Amino acid sequence: MAASKPANPTTTTTTTTPSHLIGTRTAARTPAELLTLLGERIKAKDVEGIIALHEPEAAIVDYDGSIVRGHAAIRAFYIEWFKLDPVLTVNPLQTVVAGGWRTWDGKTRDRTASIMGDYSLTQNAADGTRETFTGAFCDTVKEQWDGSWLYIQDNPYPPHGGPAPTAAHH
């Protein structure tokens, strides 16, 4: 989110975006790019940049199976999670794009996509050690009418026949 220019010389505008991030808010043009941007913003602990990649009513599935829904709740989720100093590595294995509507200019818009893969996450444990989790994810993203893509569901714990995410302490 870039700082806005004051409307007139007597008006001032404040921003909570760090100066090194101003001007870096690129929109994702593909589901793969959206996943990459999310990873970059998680690494940078850029909460507002992460929020910008989600639709207003997007949802995240938390470790306990609860649903975190909407920008305010997602913001609070990431603020708390970043206290654990997470290091996340994702490996997308399959992306399926479907649906949508053909526009007047022949482009298909308003599509959805599932991005599926596996991940490794290392973060601080309650006892102060570092713990590592591995698991699978299945995210749902949606194309906007301007051609950009946003998250509608971030699910690092999809139900499947395999084992639950595993943890190892270091």
Side-chain angles (χ1 to χ4, degrees):
M1 195 178 301
S4 58
K5 194 178 199 181
N8 63 53
T10 61
T11 304
T12 58
T13 302
T14 58
T15 180
T16 57
T17 303
S19 60
H20 70 283
L21 296 175
I22 293 174
T24 62
R25 296 287 191 267
T26 48
R29 303 315 283 179
T30 66
E33 191 174 295
L34 183 60
L35 183 65
T36 298
L37 286 172
L38 181 63
E40 289 170 358
R41 293 174 189 185
I42 288 172
K43 184 176 179 179
K45 295 180 175 58
D46 177 7
V47 174
E48 293 310 310
I50 292 166
I51 298 302
L53 298 175
H54 291 76
E55 284 196 349
E57 292 301 316
I60 296 175
V61 178
D62 203 350
Y63 183 74
D64 64 2
S66 64
I67 306 298
V68 177
R69 186 178 316 277
H71 281 177
I74 292 170
R75 182 179 289 107
F77 169 85
Y78 275 102
I79 288 169
E80 283 302 308
W81 186 49
F82 287 153
K83 292 177 183 177
L84 301 177
D85 194 24
V87 176
L88 178 66
T89 304
V90 297
N91 178 32
L93 299 172
Q94 182 180 35
T95 300
V96 178
V97 179
W101 301 95
R102 185 140 334 257
T103 60
W104 62 270
D105 60 358
K107 294 181 181 178
T108 303
R109 293 284 191 241
D110 200 33
R111 299 173 290 175
T112 58
S114 294
I115 307 169
M116 297 154 278
D118 54 43
Y119 67 90
S120 173
L121 169 64
T122 301
Q123 63 186 21
N124 293 335
D127 65 4
T129 62
R130 295 289 284 169
E131 59 186 352
T132 298
F133 298 88
T134 59
F137 69 92
C138 182
D139 295 346
T140 307
V141 300
K142 185 175 179 187
E143 184 180 29
Q144 309 301 298
W145 282 101
D146 66 358
S148 65
W149 289 80
L150 294 175
Y151 275 88
I152 56 175
Q153 179 183 300
D154 182 349
N155 187 355
Y157 312 108
H160 53 80
T166 57
H169 289 281
H170 300 283

